[in-house]
């Protein structure tokens, strides 16, 4: 049983998943907000609300969500993004809360909520503390081009929708340097976990 919920965030390619895996190795349980978002958005209840808002054709003949088309419409302006969030965020949050509560009952050192939009979605309010992973833009660009096999132009377009480092530095209580080697990342995470447990329990 644990009461400690650590929100983990940072821009694309900084190394959140890598840090989340290190927390898992250190005895934590991880709740993956991106995965929950993907499953929730494909749920029938959510899909029908999205169709009503963004058009029937966002669901293809194969009955699957056309993510690219939805993204084009939902990210075309601020109002559309707000309409997307108004439909998806309450449902995503409900499932995140359910999974966090399940994890808290188990024998873990802490629960990690891995959420790229931790602050933007308000999910930080579910956490005891927040940790941000950051890395210089050129490192992140190189990583996501290689990880996702995409062009530098597409990678830059994705990165441009996100917050800068200052955003994370001013909001997160703890920072992790995403450019550490994998073994140093594990050492940093082990130390940070002890520090957070010491500070908050
Ligand atoms: C609209 C969807 C289907 C588009 O999917 P797609 O695979 O094409 O893009 P992806 O999810 O990788 O997002 C692309 C970029 O948009 C940004 N983004 C994603 N969701 C949002 C949002 N709600 N508000 C602002 N920016 C967003 C991301 O930072 C990312 O860089 C998808 O973004 C989605 O399901 N969004 C709503 C759910 C949500 O808010 N997810 C965020 C995690 S909690
Ligand atoms: N410390 C590191 N050293 C070397 N490579 C790394 C390191 N951290 C992450 N990477 C690599 O960089 C890529 C992006 O890392 P990761 O998927 O963890 O980032 P992320 O922050 O979760 O990104 P996204 O928000 O886009 O999912 C991956 O291919 C990963 O293997």
């Amino acid at each position: 049983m644990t009461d400690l919920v650590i929100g983990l965030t940072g821009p694309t390619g900084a190394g959140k998943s890598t840090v989340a895996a290190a927390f898992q190795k250190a005895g934590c349980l991880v709740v993956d907000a991106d995965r929950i978002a993907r499953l929730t958005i494909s749920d029938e209840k959510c899909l029908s609300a999205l169709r009503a808002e963004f058009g029937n054709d966002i669901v293809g003949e194969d009955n699957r969500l056309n993510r690219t088309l939805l993204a084009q419409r939902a990210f075309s302006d601020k109002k559309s993004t707000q309409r997307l969030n108004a439909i998806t965020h309450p449902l995503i949050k409900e499932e995140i809360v359910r999974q966090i509560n399940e994890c808290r009952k188990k024998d873990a050192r802490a629960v990690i909520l891995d959420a790229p939009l931790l602050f933007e979605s308000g999910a930080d309010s579910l956490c005891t503390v927040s940790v941000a992973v950051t890395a210089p833009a050129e490192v992140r660009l190189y990583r996501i081009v290689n990880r996702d096999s995409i062009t530098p132009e597409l990678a830059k377009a994705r990165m441009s929708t996100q917050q800068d480092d200052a955003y994370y530095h001013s909001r997160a209580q703890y920072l992790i340097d995403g450019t550490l080697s994998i073994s140093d990342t594990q050492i940093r995470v082990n130390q940070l976990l002890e520090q957070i447990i010491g500070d908050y329990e």
Side-chain angles (χ1 to χ4, degrees), residues 91-134:
L91 297 169
I92 294 170
K93 203 164 179 178
E94 192 180 302
E95 179 58 17
I96 287 176
V97 169
R98 196 190 67 76
Q99 290 199 16
I100 287 177
N101 287 337
E102 279 304 305
C103 290
R104 283 167 70 162
K105 290 183 208 153
K106 295 182 184 159
D107 184 23
R109 303 210 71 203
V111 180
I112 308 298
L113 174 60
D114 176 355
L117 300 177
L118 183 75
F119 299 119
E120 296 90 329
S121 66
D124 57 322
S125 66
L126 305 171
C127 304
T128 324
V129 288
S130 56
V131 174
V133 189
T134 57

Side-chain angles (χ1 to χ4, degrees), residues 33-34 37-38 41 65 67-68 70-71 75 81 84-85 88-89 92 117 158 161-162:
D34 247 358
R38 278 183 178 266
I41 206 163
L65 174 67
R67 297 176 64 90
T68 312
L70 175 60
F75 299 140
T81 308
L84 172 76
N85 291 345
T88 57
H89 282 182
I92 294 170
L117 300 177
R158 265 198 213 170
T161 66
Q162 297 200 326

